[in-house]
mmCIF file of all heavy atoms in Angstrom:
data_model
loop_
_atom_site.group_PDB
_atom_site.id
_atom_site.type_symbol
_atom_site.label_atom_id
_atom_site.label_comp_id
_atom_site.label_asym_id
_atom_site.label_seq_id
_atom_site.Cartn_x
_atom_site.Cartn_y
_atom_site.Cartn_z
ATOM 1 N N MET A 1 1.019 66.138 162.561
ATOM 2 C CA MET A 1 -0.257 65.965 161.841
ATOM 3 C C MET A 1 -0.219 66.529 160.443
ATOM 4 O O MET A 1 -0.801 65.965 159.504
ATOM 5 C CB MET A 1 -1.404 66.587 162.638
ATOM 6 C CG MET A 1 -1.760 65.883 163.936
ATOM 7 S SD MET A 1 -2.345 64.175 163.715
ATOM 8 C CE MET A 1 -3.813 64.423 162.720
ATOM 9 N N GLU A 2 0.486 67.643 160.255
ATOM 10 C CA GLU A 2 0.498 68.304 158.944
ATOM 11 C C GLU A 2 1.308 67.551 157.901
ATOM 12 O O GLU A 2 1.199 67.853 156.719
ATOM 13 C CB GLU A 2 1.012 69.744 159.097
ATOM 14 C CG GLU A 2 0.026 70.644 159.803
ATOM 15 C CD GLU A 2 0.310 72.130 159.614
ATOM 16 O OE1 GLU A 2 1.111 72.483 158.745
ATOM 17 O OE2 GLU A 2 -0.279 72.943 160.379
ATOM 18 N N THR A 3 2.080 66.550 158.320
ATOM 19 C CA THR A 3 2.803 65.736 157.335
ATOM 20 C C THR A 3 1.828 64.971 156.441
ATOM 21 O O THR A 3 2.195 64.540 155.355
ATOM 22 C CB THR A 3 3.769 64.729 158.007
ATOM 23 O OG1 THR A 3 3.006 63.842 158.832
ATOM 24 C CG2 THR A 3 4.773 65.446 158.861
ATOM 25 N N ALA A 4 0.595 64.817 156.908
ATOM 26 C CA ALA A 4 -0.413 64.066 156.143
ATOM 27 C C ALA A 4 -0.799 64.764 154.857
ATOM 28 O O ALA A 4 -1.258 64.119 153.903
ATOM 29 C CB ALA A 4 -1.635 63.808 157.013
ATOM 30 N N PHE A 5 -0.639 66.099 154.808
ATOM 31 C CA PHE A 5 -1.084 66.810 153.599
ATOM 32 C C PHE A 5 -0.058 67.838 153.085
ATOM 33 O O PHE A 5 -0.336 68.534 152.116
ATOM 34 C CB PHE A 5 -2.424 67.503 153.846
ATOM 35 C CG PHE A 5 -2.453 68.461 155.000
ATOM 36 C CD1 PHE A 5 -2.062 69.777 154.816
ATOM 37 C CD2 PHE A 5 -2.836 68.049 156.253
ATOM 38 C CE1 PHE A 5 -2.082 70.667 155.875
ATOM 39 C CE2 PHE A 5 -2.867 68.945 157.319
ATOM 40 C CZ PHE A 5 -2.487 70.250 157.133
ATOM 41 N N ARG A 6 1.103 67.889 153.701
ATOM 42 C CA ARG A 6 2.150 68.796 153.216
ATOM 43 C C ARG A 6 2.948 68.131 152.073
ATOM 44 O O ARG A 6 2.970 66.916 151.947
ATOM 45 C CB ARG A 6 3.084 69.178 154.335
ATOM 46 C CG ARG A 6 2.476 70.080 155.389
ATOM 47 C CD ARG A 6 2.365 71.517 154.894
ATOM 48 N NE ARG A 6 2.037 72.422 155.982
ATOM 49 C CZ ARG A 6 2.326 73.724 155.980
ATOM 50 N NH1 ARG A 6 2.910 74.265 154.947
ATOM 51 N NH2 ARG A 6 1.977 74.477 157.008
ATOM 52 N N GLY A 7 3.624 68.972 151.306
ATOM 53 C CA GLY A 7 4.388 68.478 150.171
ATOM 54 C C GLY A 7 5.787 68.010 150.531
ATOM 55 O O GLY A 7 6.138 67.857 151.713
ATOM 56 N N ALA A 8 6.600 67.837 149.490
ATOM 57 C CA ALA A 8 7.947 67.279 149.661
ATOM 58 C C ALA A 8 8.880 68.208 150.441
ATOM 59 O O ALA A 8 9.740 67.721 151.175
ATOM 60 C CB ALA A 8 8.551 66.977 148.299
ATOM 61 N N ASN A 9 8.715 69.508 150.291
ATOM 62 C CA ASN A 9 9.637 70.458 150.933
ATOM 63 C C ASN A 9 9.086 71.017 152.245
ATOM 64 O O ASN A 9 9.118 72.212 152.511
ATOM 65 C CB ASN A 9 9.978 71.595 149.967
ATOM 66 C CG ASN A 9 10.935 71.127 148.887
ATOM 67 O OD1 ASN A 9 11.362 69.974 148.870
ATOM 68 N ND2 ASN A 9 11.277 72.007 147.968
ATOM 69 N N TYR A 10 8.601 70.093 153.068
ATOM 70 C CA TYR A 10 8.074 70.432 154.386
ATOM 71 C C TYR A 10 9.008 69.880 155.440
ATOM 72 O O TYR A 10 9.316 68.668 155.446
ATOM 73 C CB TYR A 10 6.680 69.852 154.554
ATOM 74 C CG TYR A 10 6.101 69.983 155.962
ATOM 75 C CD1 TYR A 10 5.805 71.242 156.496
ATOM 76 C CD2 TYR A 10 5.815 68.863 156.728
ATOM 77 C CE1 TYR A 10 5.251 71.371 157.772
ATOM 78 C CE2 TYR A 10 5.253 68.974 158.005
ATOM 79 C CZ TYR A 10 4.981 70.222 158.512
ATOM 80 O OH TYR A 10 4.431 70.326 159.774
ATOM 81 N N VAL A 11 9.508 70.735 156.336
ATOM 82 C CA VAL A 11 10.331 70.280 157.463
ATOM 83 C C VAL A 11 9.697 70.798 158.749
ATOM 84 O O VAL A 11 8.979 71.808 158.738
ATOM 85 C CB VAL A 11 11.799 70.722 157.355
ATOM 86 C CG1 VAL A 11 12.461 70.191 156.095
ATOM 87 C CG2 VAL A 11 11.937 72.240 157.397
ATOM 88 N N PHE A 12 9.977 70.124 159.844
ATOM 89 C CA PHE A 12 9.351 70.484 161.116
ATOM 90 C C PHE A 12 10.153 69.940 162.282
ATOM 91 O O PHE A 12 11.012 69.071 162.116
ATOM 92 C CB PHE A 12 7.906 69.942 161.171
ATOM 93 C CG PHE A 12 7.803 68.441 161.104
ATOM 94 C CD1 PHE A 12 7.708 67.677 162.273
ATOM 95 C CD2 PHE A 12 7.830 67.777 159.893
ATOM 96 C CE1 PHE A 12 7.609 66.304 162.210
ATOM 97 C CE2 PHE A 12 7.739 66.389 159.815
ATOM 98 C CZ PHE A 12 7.636 65.650 160.978
ATOM 99 N N THR A 13 9.869 70.471 163.465
ATOM 100 C CA THR A 13 10.525 69.995 164.678
ATOM 101 C C THR A 13 9.536 69.204 165.526
ATOM 102 O O THR A 13 8.350 69.550 165.590
ATOM 103 C CB THR A 13 11.070 71.141 165.519
ATOM 104 O OG1 THR A 13 9.978 72.028 165.866
ATOM 105 C CG2 THR A 13 12.123 71.935 164.768
ATOM 106 N N THR A 14 10.052 68.153 166.165
ATOM 107 C CA THR A 14 9.259 67.367 167.100
ATOM 108 C C THR A 14 10.175 66.419 167.851
ATOM 109 O O THR A 14 11.255 66.069 167.333
ATOM 110 C CB THR A 14 8.151 66.581 166.376
ATOM 111 O OG1 THR A 14 7.187 66.099 167.319
ATOM 112 C CG2 THR A 14 8.718 65.422 165.587
ATOM 113 N N PRO A 15 9.802 65.976 169.037
ATOM 114 C CA PRO A 15 10.562 64.932 169.717
ATOM 115 C C PRO A 15 10.420 63.602 168.989
ATOM 116 O O PRO A 15 9.339 63.282 168.490
ATOM 117 C CB PRO A 15 9.914 64.863 171.119
ATOM 118 C CG PRO A 15 9.200 66.160 171.266
ATOM 119 C CD PRO A 15 8.732 66.525 169.894
ATOM 120 N N PRO A 16 11.481 62.783 168.894
ATOM 121 C CA PRO A 16 11.386 61.469 168.248
ATOM 122 C C PRO A 16 10.279 60.588 168.834
ATOM 123 O O PRO A 16 9.645 59.824 168.112
ATOM 124 C CB PRO A 16 12.777 60.853 168.506
ATOM 125 C CG PRO A 16 13.676 62.044 168.627
ATOM 126 C CD PRO A 16 12.856 63.098 169.313
ATOM 127 N N ALA A 17 10.063 60.724 170.151
ATOM 128 C CA ALA A 17 9.034 59.902 170.794
ATOM 129 C C ALA A 17 7.654 60.167 170.196
ATOM 130 O O ALA A 17 6.817 59.247 170.106
ATOM 131 C CB ALA A 17 9.033 60.158 172.283
ATOM 132 N N LEU A 18 7.401 61.383 169.782
ATOM 133 C CA LEU A 18 6.107 61.749 169.228
ATOM 134 C C LEU A 18 5.909 61.123 167.829
ATOM 135 O O LEU A 18 4.797 60.730 167.472
ATOM 136 C CB LEU A 18 5.967 63.260 169.154
ATOM 137 C CG LEU A 18 4.584 63.844 169.366
ATOM 138 C CD1 LEU A 18 4.028 63.446 170.709
ATOM 139 C CD2 LEU A 18 4.614 65.353 169.254
ATOM 140 N N VAL A 19 6.987 61.038 167.087
ATOM 141 C CA VAL A 19 6.919 60.407 165.770
ATOM 142 C C VAL A 19 6.562 58.915 165.927
ATOM 143 O O VAL A 19 5.719 58.381 165.188
ATOM 144 C CB VAL A 19 8.265 60.532 165.007
ATOM 145 C CG1 VAL A 19 8.243 59.717 163.715
ATOM 146 C CG2 VAL A 19 8.563 61.996 164.707
ATOM 147 N N LYS A 20 7.151 58.289 166.907
ATOM 148 C CA LYS A 20 6.865 56.866 167.159
ATOM 149 C C LYS A 20 5.405 56.653 167.537
ATOM 150 O O LYS A 20 4.747 55.733 167.083
ATOM 151 C CB LYS A 20 7.790 56.344 168.275
ATOM 152 C CG LYS A 20 7.713 54.837 168.472
ATOM 153 C CD LYS A 20 8.731 54.364 169.474
ATOM 154 C CE LYS A 20 8.669 52.856 169.634
ATOM 155 N NZ LYS A 20 9.685 52.374 170.629
ATOM 156 N N LEU A 21 4.868 57.569 168.395
ATOM 157 C CA LEU A 21 3.462 57.469 168.785
ATOM 158 C C LEU A 21 2.555 57.642 167.581
ATOM 159 O O LEU A 21 1.537 56.930 167.442
ATOM 160 C CB LEU A 21 3.127 58.539 169.837
ATOM 161 C CG LEU A 21 3.720 58.351 171.237
ATOM 162 C CD1 LEU A 21 3.423 59.562 172.108
ATOM 163 C CD2 LEU A 21 3.188 57.076 171.895
ATOM 164 N N ALA A 22 2.897 58.589 166.689
ATOM 165 C CA ALA A 22 2.089 58.841 165.502
ATOM 166 C C ALA A 22 2.091 57.611 164.586
ATOM 167 O O ALA A 22 1.033 57.210 164.071
ATOM 168 C CB ALA A 22 2.629 60.048 164.747
ATOM 169 N N GLN A 23 3.243 57.017 164.399
ATOM 170 C CA GLN A 23 3.352 55.867 163.500
ATOM 171 C C GLN A 23 2.645 54.650 164.063
ATOM 172 O O GLN A 23 2.222 53.777 163.288
ATOM 173 C CB GLN A 23 4.828 55.585 163.221
ATOM 174 C CG GLN A 23 5.483 56.679 162.390
ATOM 175 C CD GLN A 23 6.983 56.514 162.222
ATOM 176 O OE1 GLN A 23 7.629 55.816 163.004
ATOM 177 N NE2 GLN A 23 7.532 57.148 161.216
ATOM 178 N N ASN A 24 2.517 54.586 165.384
ATOM 179 C CA ASN A 24 1.814 53.454 166.014
ATOM 180 C C ASN A 24 0.368 53.764 166.356
ATOM 181 O O ASN A 24 -0.334 52.905 166.920
ATOM 182 C CB ASN A 24 2.568 53.025 167.286
ATOM 183 C CG ASN A 24 3.927 52.431 166.994
ATOM 184 O OD1 ASN A 24 4.127 51.811 165.951
ATOM 185 N ND2 ASN A 24 4.859 52.600 167.898
ATOM 186 N N GLY A 25 -0.084 54.995 166.055
ATOM 187 C CA GLY A 25 -1.459 55.377 166.329
ATOM 188 C C GLY A 25 -1.791 55.365 167.804
ATOM 189 O O GLY A 25 -2.895 54.957 168.211
ATOM 190 N N GLN A 26 -0.859 55.833 168.637
ATOM 191 C CA GLN A 26 -1.042 55.774 170.096
ATOM 192 C C GLN A 26 -1.212 57.172 170.704
ATOM 193 O O GLN A 26 -0.908 58.185 170.065
ATOM 194 C CB GLN A 26 0.150 55.078 170.748
ATOM 195 C CG GLN A 26 0.322 53.623 170.331
ATOM 196 C CD GLN A 26 1.588 53.012 170.887
ATOM 197 O OE1 GLN A 26 2.594 53.687 171.085
ATOM 198 N NE2 GLN A 26 1.543 51.713 171.165
ATOM 199 N N ALA A 27 -1.680 57.190 171.952
ATOM 200 C CA ALA A 27 -1.835 58.422 172.744
ATOM 201 C C ALA A 27 -2.623 59.466 171.975
ATOM 202 O O ALA A 27 -3.759 59.178 171.521
ATOM 203 C CB ALA A 27 -0.466 58.946 173.162
ATOM 204 N N MET A 28 -2.059 60.669 171.790
ATOM 205 C CA MET A 28 -2.795 61.750 171.129
ATOM 206 C C MET A 28 -3.075 61.475 169.640
ATOM 207 O O MET A 28 -3.820 62.219 168.993
ATOM 208 C CB MET A 28 -2.055 63.079 171.296
ATOM 209 C CG MET A 28 -0.702 63.155 170.607
ATOM 210 S SD MET A 28 0.610 62.223 171.481
ATOM 211 C CE MET A 28 0.817 63.179 172.958
ATOM 212 N N PHE A 29 -2.471 60.410 169.106
ATOM 213 C CA PHE A 29 -2.698 60.068 167.686
ATOM 214 C C PHE A 29 -3.664 58.897 167.539
ATOM 215 O O PHE A 29 -3.890 58.420 166.421
ATOM 216 C CB PHE A 29 -1.365 59.746 167.017
ATOM 217 C CG PHE A 29 -0.422 60.908 166.968
ATOM 218 C CD1 PHE A 29 0.596 61.019 167.887
ATOM 219 C CD2 PHE A 29 -0.582 61.909 166.014
ATOM 220 C CE1 PHE A 29 1.472 62.109 167.871
ATOM 221 C CE2 PHE A 29 0.272 63.007 165.980
ATOM 222 C CZ PHE A 29 1.301 63.097 166.914
#
């Protein structure tokens, strides 16, 4: 969620499946 307002030098950990859900606006997103 924080990628929406963080800058260029922001890195984070997450499962790839969660990124896919976020990009498709599914489940918790």
